[in-house]
Amino acid sequence: MRRHPWLTSALTLAFATGLTAVATTAQAAAGCQVTYTVTNQWQGGFGAGVTITNLGDPLTGWQLSWSFPAGQTVTQLWGGTVTQSGAQVTVANAAYNGAIATGGTATFGFNGSWTSSNPAPAAFSLNGVACTGSVPTTSPTGSPTTSPTASPTASPTPSDPTTPPAPTSFSNPVVWQDFADGDIIRVGNVFYYSASTMHYSPGAPILRSYDLVNWEYAGHSVPRLDFDSAAYDLSGGRAYVKGIWASAFNYRPSNSTYYWLGCTEFNRTYVYASTSVTGGWGKKARINKCYYDAGLLFDNDIPYVAYGNTTISVAQLSADLTSEVRSQTVYTTPSSIGTLEGSRMYKRGNYYYIWLTRPANGQYVLRSTSPWGPYEQRQVLLNLPGPISGGGVPHQGGLVQTQNGDWWYMAFTDAYPGGRMPTLAPITWSGDGWPVLQTVNGRWGSSYPRPNLPWHPLASMTGTDTFTAGVLGPQWEWNHNPDTTKFSVGNGLRLSTATVTNDLYNARNTLTRRIQGPSSTATVQLDYTGMANGDRAGLAMLRDQSAWIGIRKDNGATRVSMTGGLTMSTSGWTTTGTGAEQAGAAVSGGKIWLRVSANIQPGSGRTATFSYSTNGSTFSPLGPAFTLSSDWQFFMGYRFGVFNYATSALGGSVTVNQFAVS
C-alpha cells in the first residue's frame, strides 16, 4: 500500500486505567496503565502497539478489551489472540506473556484497517472490569476508596522500532500466500523476497521485511510484461503459465542498484534494474539465451549467473549485465538424483555455492573454490516432512545472512489449492563448510525461535482497499497486461469493458489479489449502474478451474449470478468450458456487495462459497459450494479476481468502491 509521509510518524496516547486481577484465595488489588501507539499509518491501514502496565497484584492471564470509535478492524495481530465483533475488540494473552508481575508489562502489536478516520480508543478494560484510572484501596470501614494515579498524558514518540517486543518464536509458513520460486537478499537491515508470477502483471513481486517473519508488499521488478509477444496482452494469443518463473534478484552495492533477471519461454532472458525497490524499474537488456532458473551473484562486482536443468552452468555477464562474456557447464546431475534446477549462487569465505532443488522433494548444494568449478555436491534435504498439514516438502528458494551473522533458508511449500507458501528455517554450517538445515523432531519445524532481529511496523497483507490513491498498490496484479485506457483509480476502481468475449480467460483487465490462507473472505462493493447489455462483472475464484459471482445484464435487466464450469485444458491452457449459471436472482438498485469465502488448506475437496448483499450487512448464499482444484500443473494458486467484460459491445463500466480481504 502507498504510504503518506505525513502519516508515518508514531502517534501515541497513554491511558491511566484500572483493572481487577483474577483472584484465587483473595481479591487482588487492581490498577493498570495502557499505552496505545499508532506506529505507522497509510491509506486504509495502520499498525499499532499496545503496552499494559500492571499496577496491582501479579496476574497469571489477561484479556484486554476496547471499542474502536470509527469502525476500525484488526487484520493481523502478534503477541496474543484477537476476537472482534463489530467495533468491540478483545485480545487475550499469548502463552509467553500471560504473567504480569506488579509493575511489570505485557505488549502486543497489530495491523488494522480504517475507512474515514483512525482515532484511538477512548477506554480499555482488563479481565472484564472497566478501567477507572485509579487503584482501588479499602477504607477502615471496608468501603472502597481510590488512590489517584497519573493523569492521561501523551507518551513520547518512540524512536526505537523494536517496540513492542516481538514474540520469541514464529510459525510456518511465514507468509500464507502464493509466493513461489523465491530469491531472498538483505540490503543493510532490510530483507527483500522476489517471487514468480507467470502471466500476472506487473510481475516479479517484491516483499519487504525487517525480521524475516513479518512481510509486506513493496513493489514489482517488472512493471509490465514487456516480453516481445502480444500474447502477454491477451491479443492474438494467451500467455498462461508462461512469463515469469524462477527468476533472479540481487543488489549491487557499487552502484546502489537492484537487478532482476529472468528467462521467458525457454529462449530469451530479460534484465530489469532500478535504484529503488518500490519504483523506477526499467528493462535494461534482452539476452537471446535462456538462463533457466537463474541465480545472480556479484563477486568483486563481477556478475555471475548460475542456471540450468540437470546440466548446471555458470555464465559471466558483462559489467552492465547486457551481454554474456563467458559460459561453462560446471556440473551434470547424476541419474541417481534425477533433476536439479532452481539455482541460487552464493559466496561464503573462499567457497562458491550453488543451491539447487530436486523438484518437488529435495534440496542439494554444490561447492567449489572457483565459480567455474570443479564442484562437490551434498544433499541438504530429501523427503523431509513439511510444516503445513497436507502440504509438501519445503524446497527451492534461497539463503540469506542476517546482520548478526545468522543464516536462514526461505523455501516454499507446495500447498495447493492455495499455491506455494514461503517457509523459513535456520541454517548452520558444518566444521568443513557445508550448510546444515536445522530440523525439529526430524522435520521442517512448524515453529522455530525467532531470528534475533528488531521488530518493525509493516503494512498488512490483508485489509481493505477503497482505491482512493492515484495508483494501485503492490498487492494487486492483472491477469496479463491490462489495457490502461480501460481502468482508473482514485475515486474507486473504475473498470470499463476492454474485451468482447464469452470467455473470462480471454477478458482483459481482470484484477487479481492473492488469497490469505488457510482461509479468508473477499468482499467487493460494486456499483453496476454503468453496465451495458451483455456485460458480465463480478468476483471470481480464478485458476484453470474457476467460478464467479457477479452481475449479468441482459435486455435491460440485471441479475446476480453464481457461475461455474470455467475450465482450461492442461495442454496449451486453452479454454474447455466458458461456464454456466448455477444459481441467480433478479436485483436492482445499482449497488451490490459480492463475497467469496475460500478454504485453501492443502488437499482435495476444499471449497469456496459465494454470497451477496444489497445493503452491505445481510448476505444471502448463492449457488453450490465450488470445489477447488488441488492439481499443481497450473503452478499458481487460486486468486480472487475482479472482472468486467462485454459479450455484445464495449462501452459499459462498473466501479469497485471497496475490496476487503479478511
Side-chain angles (χ1 to χ4, degrees):
M1 298 182 180
R2 293 178 63 84
R3 294 177 174 168
H4 298 278
W6 51 274
L7 288 175
T8 56
S9 61
L11 309 173
T12 307
L13 294 174
F15 297 86
T17 57
L19 69 89
T20 297
V22 178
T24 52
T25 58
Q27 179 65 46
C32 82
Q33 179 170 300
V34 175
T35 302
Y36 178 98
T37 305
V38 176
T39 55
N40 195 15
Q41 185 164 304
W42 59 96
Q43 180 62 47
F46 68 102
V50 179
T51 300
I52 305 166
T53 302
N54 179 20
L55 305 178
D57 288 348
L59 297 177
T60 58
W62 52 265
Q63 288 188 338
L64 185 72
S65 299
W66 70 86
S67 180
F68 275 128
Q72 300 102 310
T73 301
V74 175
T75 58
Q76 179 187 36
L77 185 136
W78 50 95
T81 56
V82 63
T83 57
Q84 182 167 358
S85 177
Q88 188 65 33
V89 180
T90 298
V91 176
N93 62 273
Y96 69 90
N97 65 357
I100 316 178
T102 302
T105 62
T107 61
F108 61 90
F110 65 89
N111 288 323
S113 63
W114 59 278
T115 51
S116 58
S117 61
N118 185 31
F124 295 86
S125 66
L126 197 64
N127 292 350
V129 176
C131 298
T132 63
S134 61
V135 180
T137 62
T138 303
S139 71
T141 62
S143 59
T145 63
T146 60
S147 299
T149 60
S151 302
T153 58
S155 298
T157 299
S159 59
D160 182 358
T162 63
T163 2
T168 57
S169 63
F170 69 90
S171 298
N172 275 311
V174 288
V175 180
W176 204 318
Q177 293 186 16
D178 185 19
F179 289 96
D181 305 329
D183 205 352
I184 185 169
I185 64 171
R186 176 177 61 86
V187 179
N189 295 328
V190 187
F191 299 91
Y192 298 103
Y193 178 93
S194 175
S196 292
T197 39
M198 304 291 180
H199 47 274
Y200 291 106
S201 178
I206 307 168
L207 302 182
R208 175 172 46 220
S209 176
Y210 297 85
D211 61 4
L212 289 172
V213 173
N214 298 290
W215 294 83
E216 66 181 354
Y217 290 98
H220 289 84
S221 296
V222 182
R224 181 180 177 276
L225 306 185
D226 186 12
F227 295 154
D228 302 299
S229 169
Y232 291 97
D233 299 330
L234 281 176
S235 176
R238 313 197 302 198
Y240 286 106
V241 198
K242 297 181 180 180
I244 293 173
W245 29 262
S247 50
F249 179 77
N250 213 335
Y251 176 77
R252 191 182 207 174
S254 65
N255 60 354
S256 304
T257 299
Y258 298 87
Y259 291 88
W260 176 90
L261 178 150
C263 165
T264 65
E265 301 184 43
F266 302 97
N267 60 22
R268 57 197 187 273
T269 297
Y270 294 91
V271 180
Y272 282 70
S274 176
T275 56
S276 169
V277 160
T278 58
W281 287 90
K283 183 162 51 171
K284 189 174 181 64
R286 167 178 165 159
I287 302 172
N288 290 322
K289 177 177 181 176
C290 178
Y291 296 122
Y292 178 89
D293 278 19
L296 176 62
L297 168 69
F298 291 104
D299 178 38
N300 293 323
D301 216 36
I302 298 172
Y304 294 102
V305 176
Y307 65 98
N309 174 288
T310 306
T311 299
I312 306 302
S313 300
V314 170
Q316 178 184 336
L317 301 186
S318 60
D320 60 1
L321 281 78
T322 62
S323 62
E324 181 180 280
V325 175
R326 173 187 176 187
S327 181
Q328 178 177 314
T329 297
V330 298
Y331 183 79
T332 301
T333 306
S335 59
S336 59
I337 294 177
T339 296
L340 290 180
E341 60 181 22
S343 299
R344 299 288 178 240
M345 193 172 186
Y346 307 98
K347 189 177 184 185
R348 178 180 180 268
N350 295 323
Y351 285 110
Y352 295 85
Y353 295 87
I354 301 178
W355 192 249
L356 296 164
T357 194
R358 179 187 188 271
N361 66 341
Q363 196 69 31
Y364 290 75
V365 63
L366 310 181
R367 186 183 76 173
S368 175
T369 56
S370 165
W372 308 108
Y375 280 88
E376 310 169 82
Q377 172 259 111
R378 288 281 179 94
Q379 177 185 299
V380 178
L381 67 89
L382 186 65
N383 293 321
L384 184 71
I388 306 176
S389 177
V393 175
H395 64 290
Q396 206 158 338
L399 302 176
V400 69
Q401 185 181 26
T402 73
Q403 56 268 43
N404 299 325
D406 299 325
W407 286 82
W408 292 82
Y409 174 24
M410 183 83 98
F412 68 75
T413 299
D414 287 4
Y416 294 104
R420 296 172 287 176
M421 313 303 176
T423 306
L424 185 68
I427 288 285
T428 58
W429 295 84
S430 66
D432 57 351
W434 291 95
V436 179
L437 174 72
Q438 299 305 291
T439 58
V440 178
N441 298 323
R443 65 186 303 141
W444 190 293
S446 59
S447 66
Y448 287 100
R450 290 177 62 93
N452 182 24
L453 296 167
W455 177 88
H456 194 285
L458 297 175
S460 174
M461 294 183 72
T462 60
T464 302
D465 198 333
T466 54
F467 305 102
T468 55
V471 296
L472 289 168
Q475 69 270 36
W476 297 104
E477 292 165 3
W478 301 92
N479 176 19
H480 293 64
N481 290 324
D483 180 344
T484 58
T485 69
K486 299 297 185 180
F487 79 91
S488 63
V489 288
N491 187 23
L493 168 66
R494 180 181 172 87
L495 293 173
S496 300
T497 52
T499 313
V500 178
T501 183
N502 65 350
D503 181 2
L504 176 62
Y505 295 124
N506 280 339
R508 295 190 74 178
N509 289 20
T510 296
L511 186 62
T512 75
R513 185 161 173 175
R514 290 168 181 80
I515 300 174
Q516 175 69 35
S519 61
S520 57
T521 296
T523 306
V524 300
Q525 180 188 343
L526 187 73
D527 183 333
Y528 59 88
T529 53
M531 290 181 71
N533 281 326
D535 287 0
R536 309 287 185 256
L539 175 63
M541 285 292 293
L542 186 64
R543 203 170 181 250
D544 54 322
Q545 298 181 34
S546 303
W548 56 263
I549 185 170
I551 298 292
R552 295 172 177 259
K553 183 168 185 179
D554 295 294
N555 301 316
T558 51
R559 59 189 286 106
V560 61
S561 169
M562 185 266 162
T563 296
L566 290 81
T567 57
M568 287 186 191
S569 71
T570 56
S571 175
W573 305 110
T574 57
T575 300
T576 53
T578 57
E581 182 175 287
Q582 298 184 355
V587 291
S588 60
K591 183 178 292 187
I592 196 167
W593 286 258
L594 305 171
R595 174 171 289 175
V596 56
S597 296
N599 175 3
I600 59 167
Q601 296 180 81
S604 61
R606 309 305 185 198
T607 61
T609 56
F610 297 91
S611 58
Y612 73 97
S613 174
T614 56
N615 59 17
S617 57
T618 304
F619 281 79
S620 301
L622 190 67
F626 169 56
T627 301
L628 308 177
S629 170
S630 59
D631 294 338
W632 61 267
Q633 286 85 352
F634 194 74
F635 290 103
M636 308 301 290
Y638 273 94
R639 293 191 177 199
F640 299 126
V642 180
F643 64 90
N644 182 31
Y645 65 90
T647 64
S648 299
L650 301 181
S653 65
V654 297
T655 299
V656 179
N657 292 310
Q658 187 178 90
F659 189 113
V661 177
S662 61

